[in-house]
Amino acid sequence: MGIFGNLFSKQACEICKKEVGALSRTKLKDKTYICNDCRKNTSILFEPHLNDLEETKKHLAHMEEMDQLYKEKVEPLSDKEIDFCGHHGSYKIGFVDSIKMFFIITPQTKKKNKKELFAYDEIESFGPYENLNDGSHEGQKRIEECGVAIKMRAYRMPIKIPIAKNVDTPLGGERILEHLNAATGGKHSSMIGAAGAVASTILNNI
Ligand SMILES: [Zn+2]
């Protein structure tokens, strides 16, 4: 079959069994497919090509559980009971100390169907990150974007909360880092530098 044959041929989504064309599906690690509708139920950090069908089903079950927990434990809370941090309007992190979990609000999470909660004890490392531009435009290296990155054990990609864009010196994020320190009992504080470096390496490669 030629390129066009593949493009227009329909394949069943292994999750919901719906038949979808090439533009409405993504290949999983084991070459089975997940449709765009089912992908809306995954985490923004979920990478289809790294997960086979079984792992994807497990992930979807986890997301369902987190969504339920969010409805039960977070939705009834007043804003005062959640510590919201974030300077950049469309990116926020909400700490819910009562259940030792946090969630994020970003333009990407707004497109998802399920709310995801992240457990404090699933945090692998965290720290500030900086993406430098190459200096070719203004003749001087500037920080294109800086913020706080959090690496969770379950995902390869870190969570990224941008704080500022196009600045000369990194700024902000102290309150997020402070709360993360408190949430993890300070045991990760020595990893801040390393975590930041790892995070920006990964992020720059995307
Ligand atoms: Zn589907």
Side-chain angles (χ1 to χ4, degrees), residues 42-47 51 59 104 112 116 118 150 152 154-160:
T42 64
S43 169
I44 59 161
L45 300 171
F46 179 78
E47 295 177 273
N51 291 273
H59 171 73
I104 51 169
K112 293 288 185 179
E116 182 168 20
F118 301 97
I150 308 166
M152 302 303 295
Y155 300 104
R156 185 188 67 110
M157 282 195 292
I159 295 165
K160 219 176 115 187

Side-chain angles (χ1 to χ4, degrees), residues 13-18 20 33-39:
C13 163
E14 285 301 327
I15 307 297
C16 69
K17 305 299 176 194
K18 190 168 59 192
V20 285
Y33 293 99
I34 179 170
C35 76
N36 289 357
D37 288 336
C38 289
R39 251 193 108 174

Side-chain angles (χ1 to χ4, degrees), residues 127-132 145-151 157-160 192-206:
Y129 73 87
E130 288 169 25
N131 296 341
L132 292 172
E145 184 182 298
C146 63
V148 176
I150 308 166
K151 171 77 177 68
M157 282 195 292
I159 295 165
K160 219 176 115 187
I192 283 183
V198 167
S200 32
T201 308
I202 296 173
L203 294 165
N204 287 331
N205 285 336
I206 290 174

Side-chain angles (χ1 to χ4, degrees), residues 41-77:
N41 296 329
T42 64
S43 169
I44 59 161
L45 300 171
F46 179 78
E47 295 177 273
H49 68 284
L50 298 179
N51 291 273
D52 64 22
L53 181 59
E54 278 321 298
E55 288 160 336
T56 302
K57 281 180 178 169
K58 248 187 235 170
H59 171 73
L60 289 167
H62 170 77
M63 290 301 288
E64 186 57 46
E65 206 183 304
M66 291 302 105
D67 193 60
Q68 283 302 320
L69 197 64
Y70 185 91
K71 285 191 181 109
E72 280 167 36
K73 305 280 187 186
V74 180
E75 265 173 21
L77 298 177

